[in-house]
Structure formats: structure tokens, C-alpha cells
Amino acid sequence: MRRIGFVTIGQSPRSDLVPGIMETLGPGFEAVERGALDDLTLDEVRRHEPETGEGLLVTRMRDGTEVRITKDFVIPRMQRCIDELNSMGLEVIMLLCAGGFPEFRSKALIVRPLEILRGVVDASLRRGLLGILYPAAEQTAKAADEWATEHRRVYADAASPYGPMEEVEAAAHRLAERRVDLTLMICMGYTAEMKRIVREITGRPVILASSMAARALKELLS
């Protein structure tokens, strides 16, 4: 049984996320999960909630409660998780977040969903309108700077993956009104059902961060 490391910026285990990835990988693999917030209570985490949108990340506690944190707060904690997984001799570690992060110390390969998504978007939509669905409205301001090109425009919207499904449906209708050519659901917390809703309402292709990252991981491990 080959062990694969997973590091969430929230609390582990990610019962909403990792089982789907493991199903994609197929038999013969075991998940070893660690979370940057594993040793903290909800009250302790909320004392570190950002006052602005700068460096904002959205994740969840073990019980599914949504929390907001900053990169500066969580990066050292992610490194400790990676150190622990490296001490177990794991070959590959996947980050369960599609945000941008600095280089981490690691003997194991670090799989970064954001870089996978960039490659797929660049290969799929050279020109046209890219819709991006973020978990928080504060994150949408950076979308054009990070994803627009000479021939690719960007429309960014937001809906929490940890809130009511109606939020996702409403965002999907706004994406449809803009006539996007492709939608990127950039948070790893979005589910296959949420993707189905966005695909059905927009009538256009949709990239789900978690399933795309899982397929890339399977290729790496096969």
C-alpha cells in the first residue's frame, strides 16, 4: 500500500475532499492527512481572521465550519505538516488548496493544484472569456491580474463551497449571463455536484480544482 500525503490549510481529515481523490487514484493507495489548523480550536482560529482581503484563504474546520485565515498565518503551519509527512518517508505530498504558496522544504514531491490549473486553462482557453469562481468575494479583485492575457478576458465571481448550494446556483447564473467560454472553480472545496450545477446552468465546460488535481496526481503515481 503506497502512502500519499495530503496537507490542508484547514483541519484534517478532509472528509469532503480526500475520499473523492482516493477514488480517482484507485486501489493500492493510503491517504495520510495533516491540517495546518489541527491543533487549534474554532475560537483560536477566529482570533486570526483577516481584517482585509489581503492574503485571504477560505477553508473549513473538521466539522465543516467555514473559517477565513491569512497566508502569513498558515504557511509556517503548513511547513510543519510537510515536515511531519517527510519524516514518514512519503514520496508525494499534495496541497489541498489551489492558492499560491512559496517553496516548501521537502524531500517528497509537492503537488500544487494551482500550477496544474494554470496549465490546463492555458491549454484550453487561449482566447475568450474565462469565468473564475472563488470562495470569497474579496479574492475576485486579483483575478484579472493573475489570469487575463492579451486574448483572454476574465470575469470573477464568488460563492462559498461551505455554504448553501443556492450561492453556487446564483453565481452560476451570473456566469451564464456573462456568456463565459470556460469556468474555473478554483477552490478545492467545491464538489462534483457544484460543478454539475455550474455546467448545467452555463452550458459551457467547467474545470473543478479537486478532480483536475486528482487526475494529475494519478498520472504522477501510475
Side-chain angles (χ1 to χ4, degrees), residues 2-3 16 22 35 40-41 51 77 91 112 120 130 136 146 158 164 175 186 193 201-202 208 211 214:
R2 296 174 67 185
R3 296 189 298 170
D16 62 319
M22 299 306 291
L40 299 176
T41 66
E51 296 180 0
R77 292 177 166 274
E91 179 185 8
R112 299 166 174 266
V120 174
L130 172 66
E146 295 187 355
L175 289 161
I186 199 169
E193 175 61 13
I201 292 174
T202 63
L208 182 66
S211 57

Side-chain angles (χ1 to χ4, degrees), residues 110-164:
I110 302 291
V111 179
R112 299 166 174 266
L114 177 61
E115 303 309 319
I116 295 169
L117 297 172
R118 285 193 190 283
V120 174
V121 168
D122 287 344
S124 304
L125 188 67
R126 305 296 292 180
R127 61 178 65 238
L129 180 58
L130 172 66
I132 307 179
L133 198 57
Y134 288 91
E138 295 93 327
Q139 296 171 314
T140 62
K142 63 184 180 182
D145 288 341
E146 295 187 355
W147 293 92
T149 66
E150 181 181 358
H151 300 293
R152 186 173 66 212
R153 296 168 292 116
V154 171
Y155 168 70
D157 212 309
S160 172
Y162 312 117

Side-chain angles (χ1 to χ4, degrees), residues 8-67:
T8 175
I9 61 173
Q11 285 189 332
S12 65
R14 284 298 299 264
S15 58
D16 62 319
L17 176 55
V18 172
I21 295 175
M22 299 306 291
E23 183 178 351
T24 298
L25 294 182
F29 298 98
E30 176 187 355
V32 183
E33 299 184 55
R34 293 294 183 271
L37 308 181
D38 278 353
D39 61 340
L40 299 176
T41 66
L42 180 59
D43 287 342
E44 289 171 331
V45 172
R46 284 185 167 159
R47 285 201 285 271
H48 293 277
E49 285 189 347
E51 296 180 0
T52 68
E54 186 66 28
L56 171 68
L57 296 172
V58 180
T59 186
R60 53 167 262 174
M61 302 293 278
R62 194 170 291 112
D63 64 1
T65 302
E66 179 182 301
V67 291

